[in-house]
């Protein structure tokens, strides 16, 4: 079997997605997601101009060698654009391999380690009362783990809180929106939020919270310590992780579990965090961390240090990546939890898929390969529209982490 063609599809059914399709001489094709939120065209150009010409004529079963060729052979390693492009190729090749062997990808990753994959959803509100209502709604939908975000008193907008009830999509068309931020107001608001959550819903519901890189290590340590009585499943991205050693300070002061890594693109981004057991969950995702080939290496390394996976799963990952994450989560032994933000009806129609949700768990389905397809005719109706994630400024105007 040889690769005879490959091309990129860019579509925007409510938001932008970049999909790579690799075709073989036996008529089998595979799909890979190369979406990089706010930088989609950079990945598309990298694939079209630099990667695809190197794929033609290759054996699609050689996933490891092709991965190494695209990573080591380019000389310029890592980075979100490069690794998203490599991921698109890698996942498409795994899709081809599964279809050719007539088996779902999870069987190629070692088979099932569990019956289904526990997922967490997003609940939010402009204030504590609205957040309580949204959590109750998602609990009724069967979710056993819920990420909770609430508006911060005195701030016009807050990360994780949508403008429309029940819907949160951070990327906005046009130039970047500017949000405002005040750390002390935020730190005062979060412990009472989770006190009320536990008072209302008891201890059985898994509760999560995302700090979105906005705190210094000592601020994150304070928050983690104050949240200990409420037994959170984790606090996510408490501080930017470029300084991996910063997590040592947080770990010294709190037993609240720590999760980080949705912006990671290689094992090296998490090497010290994992090796020193400064985190409990690594959130690197299949599309931004080089595909299934590299993500499996990261998970195996993490397993040595009792660190579990908690892969990013927001709507900036297409159903192609969601399916890949579910195959991965079903197979990998040290799986922890999978993020689940349901896509829009338009997106689901463009990407028909086999995966399903029921009672707080998801399953990738048993169709050979990924179990996801791309309706190219329908995709053509949704033209690319420039969109950006917001930027964030403190109340004095200083640009800070979004």
């Amino acid at each position: 079997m040889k690769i005879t063609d490959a091309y990129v599809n860019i579509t925007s059914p409510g938001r932008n997605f970049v999909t790579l399709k690799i075709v073989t001489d036996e008529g089998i094709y595979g799909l890979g997601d190369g979406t990089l939120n706010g930088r989609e065209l950079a990945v598309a150009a990298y694939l079209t101009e630099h990667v695809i010409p190197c794929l033609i004529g290759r054996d699609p079963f050689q996933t490891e060698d092709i991965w190494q060729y695209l990573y080591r052979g380019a000389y310029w390693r890592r980075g979100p654009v490069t690794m998203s492009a490599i991921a698109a190729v890698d996942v498409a090749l795994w899709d081809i391999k599964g279809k050719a062997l007539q088996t779902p990808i999870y069987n190629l990753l070692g088979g099932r380690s569990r019956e289904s994959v526990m997922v967490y959803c997003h609940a939010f509100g402009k204030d504590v009362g609205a957040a309580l209502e949204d959590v109750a709604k998602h609990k009724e939908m069967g979710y056993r783990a819920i990420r909770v975000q609430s508006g911060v008193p005195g701030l016009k907008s807050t990360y994780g809180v949508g403008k429309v009830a029940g819907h949160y999509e951070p990327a906005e068309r046009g130039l970047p929106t500017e949000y405002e931020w005040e750390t002390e107001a935020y730190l005062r608001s979060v412990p009472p939020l989770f006190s009320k959550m536990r008072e209302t819903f008891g201890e059985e519901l898994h509760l999560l919270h995302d700090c979105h890189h906005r705190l210094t290590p000592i601020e994150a340590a304070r928050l983690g310590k104050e949240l200990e009585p409420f037994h959170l499943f984790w606090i996510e991205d408490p501080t930017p992780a470029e300084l991996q050693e910063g997590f040592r300070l947080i770990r010294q002061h709190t037993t609240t579990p720590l999760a980080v890594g949705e912006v990671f693109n290689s094992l090296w981004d998490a090497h010290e965090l994992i090796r020193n057991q400064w985190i409990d969950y690594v959130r690197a995702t299949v599309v931004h961390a080089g595909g299934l080939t590299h993500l499996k290496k990261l998970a195996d390394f993490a397993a040595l240090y009792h660190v579990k996976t908690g892969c990013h799963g927001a709507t900036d990952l297409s159903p192609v990546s969601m399916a890949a994450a579910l195959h991965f989560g079903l197979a990998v032994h040290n799986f922890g939890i999978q993020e689940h933000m349901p896509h829009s009806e338009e997106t689901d129609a463009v990407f028909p898929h086999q995966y399903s949700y029921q009672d707080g768990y998801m399953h990738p389905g048993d169709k050979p390969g990924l179990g996801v397809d791309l309706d190219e005719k329908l995709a053509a109706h949704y033209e690319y529209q420039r969109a950006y994630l917001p930027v964030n400024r403190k109340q004095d105007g200083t640009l800070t982490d979004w």
Side-chain angles (χ1 to χ4, degrees), residues 100-365:
L101 296 175
Q102 287 293 298
T103 192
I105 285 177
Y106 65 75
N107 279 336
L108 305 179
L109 298 174
R112 290 179 299 152
S113 288
R114 54 198 50 83
E115 294 301 318
S116 55
V117 173
M118 185 169 75
V119 298
Y120 73 89
C121 63
H122 291 200
F124 62 82
K126 63 180 181 179
D127 53 32
V128 173
L132 284 167
E133 291 178 6
D134 206 30
V135 170
K137 182 182 75 173
H138 284 86
K139 188 172 182 291
E140 284 296 312
M141 295 166 63
Y143 286 101
R144 301 158 190 261
I146 302 176
R147 193 192 83 166
V148 186
Q149 310 291 134
S150 174
V152 176
L155 297 185
K156 297 176 183 177
S157 57
T158 306
Y159 167 77
V161 179
K163 296 179 180 179
V164 179
H167 175 75
Y168 178 66
E169 169 55 63
E172 296 181 356
R173 287 167 175 169
L175 296 177
T177 301
E178 293 197 0
Y179 285 7
E180 66 173 1
W181 182 250
E182 174 54 52
T183 302
E184 277 300 321
Y186 166 76
L187 288 172
R188 289 193 299 268
S189 71
V190 177
L193 169 67
F194 284 95
S195 175
K196 195 64 177 179
M197 290 293 156
R198 283 295 179 220
E199 178 185 328
T200 304
F201 298 106
E203 287 286 341
E204 292 186 6
L205 190 64
H206 296 304
L207 297 176
L208 303 82
H209 181 70
D210 188 358
C211 303
H212 221 253
H213 314 104
R214 299 187 174 194
L215 305 176
T216 65
I218 198 63
E219 290 167 346
R222 166 187 160 185
L223 180 62
K225 191 170 186 177
E226 291 182 355
L227 289 174
E228 285 178 9
F230 313 119
H231 305 139
L232 268 63
F233 189 94
W234 76 36
I235 56 172
E236 176 188 340
D237 291 341
T239 194
E242 288 95 336
L243 179 63
Q244 296 186 35
E245 193 175 353
F247 279 77
R248 177 170 63 181
L249 179 61
I250 306 173
R251 179 67 97 193
Q252 288 172 341
H253 290 281
T254 181
T255 58
T256 298
L258 305 173
V260 69
E262 69 180 55
V263 300
F264 289 175
N265 55 74
S266 90
L267 187 155
W268 300 107
D269 292 324
H271 180 260
E272 292 300 307
L273 293 169
I274 292 170
R275 186 178 68 84
N276 290 292
Q277 300 179 67
W278 292 334
I279 62 172
D280 302 279
Y281 297 89
V282 58
R283 301 203 63 245
T285 185
V286 62
V287 64
H288 302 137
L292 290 166
T293 294
H294 189 59
L295 196 61
K296 184 65 163 62
K297 289 180 170 66
L298 193 157
D300 289 342
F301 176 69
L304 300 177
Y305 298 95
H306 309 288
V307 174
K308 297 180 180 180
T309 67
C311 293
H312 181 57
T315 49
D316 59 321
L317 281 64
S318 85
V320 174
S321 275
M322 190 67 202
L326 292 172
H327 283 278
F328 174 80
L330 200 68
V332 68
H333 185 262
N334 58 322
F335 167 80
I337 199 168
Q338 171 64 49
E339 182 178 16
H340 178 220
M341 285 181 70
H343 289 103
S344 67
E345 292 181 3
E346 292 84 359
T347 296
D348 286 338
V350 169
F351 296 93
H353 53 265
Q354 289 287 308
Y355 63 75
S356 59
Y357 165 82
Q358 184 176 4
D359 295 331
Y361 293 87
M362 293 184 72
H363 194 282

